[in-house]
């Protein structure tokens, strides 16, 4: 029977993990791309996120510069593109447009929002402040989480305490044990109900299922008390309640930030953390409520022995909590300063401080009061006060944990190829790049104080120097595209190698803040697909597209380097291209500009192509022609 | 033969001087403001922190060939220098002795990084208000002297300021912790005293 239960639990974990990806669905890419300058209107807008958003509560709105919605309100998940929402766009004219998106996490129902812009034959519009990207939790959510965690802790800790530390000695203790089961079961049911209420009708199906299972565990615990002992002996009931507590803990882990990563290791670590803290905190409650009232009049040596057994269990739990908690903190914090600068970090710090207080009280029980009582000296009053203090601190820990699991952790998944954060003079500077391939790139600098974006910087500049070769120093000046977000585009990192990127942020009234990043620019898998050598005797053509992965409707450049048999550049040729693919595109003549592009370099500027496979026939005036294959993505 | 070698050597020195001079001039920003060409940079480049330096401003009128140096600007233009987003410092613009159309404005930069020269006023009848910022393709930033220092490394003034700030912060934290420890100690002593009285 127990084997079957274990198999059921394991199967449930695997099934539920399958749908988990990240607790906050963040922007990864879109079509049109962020800040795309198009020559003709798109028929739809597609946004890809770091996890599958719950389509029910998510939205993608396309707004014109007057904030009028111009899409068709038909947001759906795209079946052939993972984690992607699409919305149809009607006939829209030239101008700037803002895509405002909101996602609801399918894992824990948390909301994330953001915006980006694109333009059709017009300047890019400014992106207005849309508020925090992850709105703060509601009081209902905090209460629901804290109650749920309390229920899990009471059921699990009580069961372990009464099974392994001290079996209830008399009817009074058994009665108190039953009351605690009622409290734990009711807390689970009430906490789950509050969380469902908080989500309202936008609750994702997976979250609803897990909350229902959690509430069901509470109900079963309550019902178990009504079963006569001849059908359910006390030992079996305790085992069952331990299982229900552990199962409820599993539902918490499966809607946690750990489930966010989709990594089974993270989930296992989180579950160990939840279980250890439940055994310790619930055990303290069981000790104070079930065992202490009877123990007050008993031989202090008995109480001392119980303290010793419980302290050993607590020590193991503490070791597990510290090790798993440290691992999780490294996983979810970006900088140590996050502990005091971010809501998630502050909640974590509060939890650490409270656990520190608990450790001190636990040590007092283990090292002072316990030994005194084992020697026959009465210290039960002091011990009682200590246990009550521990219980109060545990209540604080549960509330801190409720906040902790409600806030978005600083380490968030996104689609950037390079993402690093530095903390300089109290300012967080985050550098993100769209790709680490050589050539044209988009550099995003996020400037924040804590998690508050810093708008209106006097200047944000990026300076590029190459480590391996002396390529001189180049500068790009970024413009503010959204509150605290500064964007620059260009091709300073044109060569494969290691680049030092110095980000200079100028704020009024203070010296420049300078952060240095090391960005590797490498040849990624698949890049060779866009850089090809075409033989057109007596010449060879090296052809590559910018950007390396062209998107439908967005302008692109096709570069052609013509070299002779010796590898020397060939100048003064007429290079011509014709296009065949999913739609018609007019033929083009390449521009040769030796002064700016270099000798033998020719360039086609293509206004935009439809998505699909294109064959571009490139001919050289006094030679033949060759075909360049190009894949244009949606 | 010796005379020929001397001539070649002299010519080499002259050509090298031009090359070196040309390289230095390249580390200045050139900008046309109306018909006038402004060449702006540091007088001593590379420019190092903690060393006396100066604005190097040269203005020529390009309407005539060859371009004519514009003189007398020390009376009609003002200049200030700004480091980062800090409040600017006004410079005293003086004509450079012996070089027509060249002007100085002395300053000792005490922080590394980007500097901006802001020049405004009148050039003959033209109103000007131009900002020249150090950086790639323009003129050099103020660089640290660390790599050049030997045998001891001396921190720059701004580094000393930062370190003193860090030290002060550490002292403040220690003071806070000491205060907290004293409070906890007093409470513990009070509790111990109360418990011992109760036991007695």
């Amino acid at each position: 029977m127990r084997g079957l239960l274990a198999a059921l639990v394991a199967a449930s974990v695997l099934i539920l993990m399958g749908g988990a990806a990240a607790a906050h669905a963040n922007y990864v890419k879109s079509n049109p791309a962020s800040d795309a300058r198009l020559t003709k209107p798109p028929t739809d807008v597609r946004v890809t996120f770091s996890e599958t958003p719950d389509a029910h509560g998510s939205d993608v709105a396309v707004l014109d510069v007057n904030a009028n919605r111009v899409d068709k309100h038909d947001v759906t998940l795209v079946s052939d593109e993972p984690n992607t929402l699409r919305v149809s766009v009607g006939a829209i004219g030239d101008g700037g447009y803002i895509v405002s998106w909101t996602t609801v996490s399918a894992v824990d129902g948390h909301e994330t929002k953001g915006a980006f812009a694109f333009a059709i034959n017009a300047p890019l519009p400014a992106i207005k402040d849309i508020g925090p990207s992850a709105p703060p939790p509601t009081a209902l959510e905090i209460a629901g989480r804290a109650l749920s965690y309390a229920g899990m802790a009471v059921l699990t800790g009580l069961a372990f305490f009464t099974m392994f530390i001290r079996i209830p000695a008399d009817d009074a203790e058994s009665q108190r044990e039953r009351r605690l089961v009622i409290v734990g079961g009711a807390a689970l049911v009430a906490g789950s109900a509050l969380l469902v209420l908080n989500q309202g009708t936008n609750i994702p199906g997976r979250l609803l299922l897990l909350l229902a299972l959690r509430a069901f565990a509470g109900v079963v615990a309550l019902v178990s008390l009504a079963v006569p002992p001849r059908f359910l002996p006390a030992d079996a009931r305790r085992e069952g309640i331990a299982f229900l507590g552990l199962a409820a803990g599993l539902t918490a882990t499966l809607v946690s930030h750990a489930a966010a990563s989709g990594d089974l290791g993270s989930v296992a670590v989180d579950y160990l953390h939840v279980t250890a803290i439940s055994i310790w905190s619930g055990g303290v409650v069981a000790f104070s409520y079930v065992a202490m009232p009877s123990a007050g009049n008993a031989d202090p040596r008995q109480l001392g022995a119980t303290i010793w057994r419980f302290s050993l269990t607590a020590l193991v739990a503490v070791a597990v909590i510290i090790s798993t908690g440290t691992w999780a903190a490294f996983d979810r914090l970006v900088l140590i300063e996050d502990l005091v600068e971010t809501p998630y970090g502050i909640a974590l710090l509060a939890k650490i401080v409270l656990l520190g207080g608990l450790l001190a009280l636990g040590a007092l029980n283990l090292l002072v009061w316990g030994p005194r009582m084992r020697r026959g000296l009465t210290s039960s009053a002091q011990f009682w006060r200590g246990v009550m203090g521990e219980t109060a601190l545990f209540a604080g820990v549960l509330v801190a944990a409720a906040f902790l699991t409600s806030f978005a952790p600083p380490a968030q998944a996104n689609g950037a190829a390079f993402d690093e954060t530095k903390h300089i003079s109290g300012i967080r500077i985050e550098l993100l790049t769209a790709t680490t391939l050589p050539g044209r790139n988009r550099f995003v600098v996020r400037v924040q104080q804590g998690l508050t974006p810093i708008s209106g910087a006097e200047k944000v500049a990026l300076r590029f120097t190459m480590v391996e070769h002396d390529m001189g120093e180049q500068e790009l000046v970024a413009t503010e595209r959204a509150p605290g977000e500064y964007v620059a585009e260009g091709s300073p990192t044109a060569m494969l190698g290691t680049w030092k990127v110095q980000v200079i942020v100028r704020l009024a009234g203070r010296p420049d803040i300078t952060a240095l990043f090391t960005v590797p620019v490498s040849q990624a898998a698949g890049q060779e697909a866009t850089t090809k050598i075409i033989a057109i005797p007596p010449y060879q053509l090296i052809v590559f597209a910018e950007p390396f992965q062209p998107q439908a409707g967005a302008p692109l450049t096709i570069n052609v380097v013509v070299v002779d048999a010796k590898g020397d550049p060939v100048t003064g040729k007429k290079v011509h291209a014709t296009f065949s693919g999913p739609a018609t595109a007019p033929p083009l003549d390449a521009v040769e500009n030796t002064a700016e592009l270099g000798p033998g370099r020719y360039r086609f500027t293509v206004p935009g192509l439809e998505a699909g496979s294109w064959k571009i026939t490139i001919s050289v005036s006094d030679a033949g022609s060759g075909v360049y294959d190009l894949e244009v993505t949606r | 033969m010796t005379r020929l070698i001397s001539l070649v050597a002299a010519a080499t020195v002259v050509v090298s001087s031009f090359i070196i001079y040309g390289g230095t001039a390249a580390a200045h920003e050139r900008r046309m403001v109306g018909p006038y060409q402004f060449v702006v940079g540091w007088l001593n480049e590379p420019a190092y922190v903690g060393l006396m330096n100066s604005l190097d401003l040269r203005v020529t009128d390009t309407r005539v060939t060859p371009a004519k140096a514009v003189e007398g600007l020390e009376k009609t233009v003002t200049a200030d220098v700004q480091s980062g987003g800090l409040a600017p410092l006004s410079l005293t613009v003086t004509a450079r002795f012996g070089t027509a159309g060249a002007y100085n404005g002395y300053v000792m930069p005490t922080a590394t990084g980007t500097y901006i020269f802001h020049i405004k006023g009148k050039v003959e009848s033209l109103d000007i208000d131009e900002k020249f910022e150090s950086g790639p393709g323009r003129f050099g930033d103020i660089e640290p002297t660390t790599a050049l220092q030997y045998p001891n490394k001396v921190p720059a003034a701004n580094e000393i300021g930062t370190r003193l700030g860090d030290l002060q912060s550490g002292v403040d934290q220690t003071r806070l912790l000491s205060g907290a420890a004293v409070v906890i100690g007093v409470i513990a002593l009070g509790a111990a005293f109360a418990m011992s009285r109760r036991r007695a």
Side-chain angles (χ1 to χ4, degrees), chain A residues 459 463 475 506 509-510 512, chain B residues 84-85 116 133-134 136 138 141:
Chain A
K459 184 175 182 180
R463 292 187 182 172
E475 184 179 85
R506 183 166 304 149
R510 57 186 297 172
D512 281 348
Chain B
I116 304 159
E133 183 174 344
S134 63
R138 301 187 293 267
D141 286 343

Side-chain angles (χ1 to χ4, degrees), chain A residues 100-120:
Chain A
S100 175
W101 55 265
T102 305
T103 58
V104 169
S105 164
V107 178
D108 62 6
H110 281 156
E111 188 180 300
T112 314
K113 56 184 181 176
F116 64 91
F118 69 90
I120 307 164

Side-chain angles (χ1 to χ4, degrees), chain A residues 18-62:
Chain A
H24 292 81
N26 294 305
Y27 174 94
V28 170
K29 63 174 183 175
S30 60
N31 189 7
S34 178
D35 285 355
R37 293 167 178 85
L38 308 180
T39 53
K40 58 180 185 175
T43 54
D44 63 6
V45 170
R46 295 176 181 227
V47 189
T48 303
F49 298 95
S50 55
E51 66 154 295
T52 308
D54 186 66
H56 186 51
S58 303
D59 192 22
V60 176
V62 185

Side-chain angles (χ1 to χ4, degrees), chain A residues 9 59 65 75 179 208 318 324 326 333 345 351 439 572 575:
Chain A
V9 169
D59 192 22
V65 287
V75 178
R179 282 188 205 136
L208 180 63
V318 166
T324 53
T326 308
L333 297 180
K351 193 178 157 197
V575 181

Side-chain angles (χ1 to χ4, degrees), chain A residues 369 372 382 385 458-459 463 473-475 502 504 506-512, chain B residues 82-87 114-116 133-138 141 195 198-199:
Chain A
W369 310 129
R372 281 175 66 109
Q382 293 92 330
R385 279 196 290 272
E458 288 185 0
K459 184 175 182 180
R463 292 187 182 172
E473 191 177 23
Q474 295 174 75
E475 184 179 85
Q502 186 186 35
I504 301 169
R506 183 166 304 149
L507 303 175
R510 57 186 297 172
D512 281 348
Chain B
Q82 184 182 357
S83 165
L86 296 172
T114 306
Y115 281 70
I116 304 159
E133 183 174 344
S134 63
R138 301 187 293 267
D141 286 343
M195 284 165 69
R198 191 178 296 170
R199 193 172 296 163

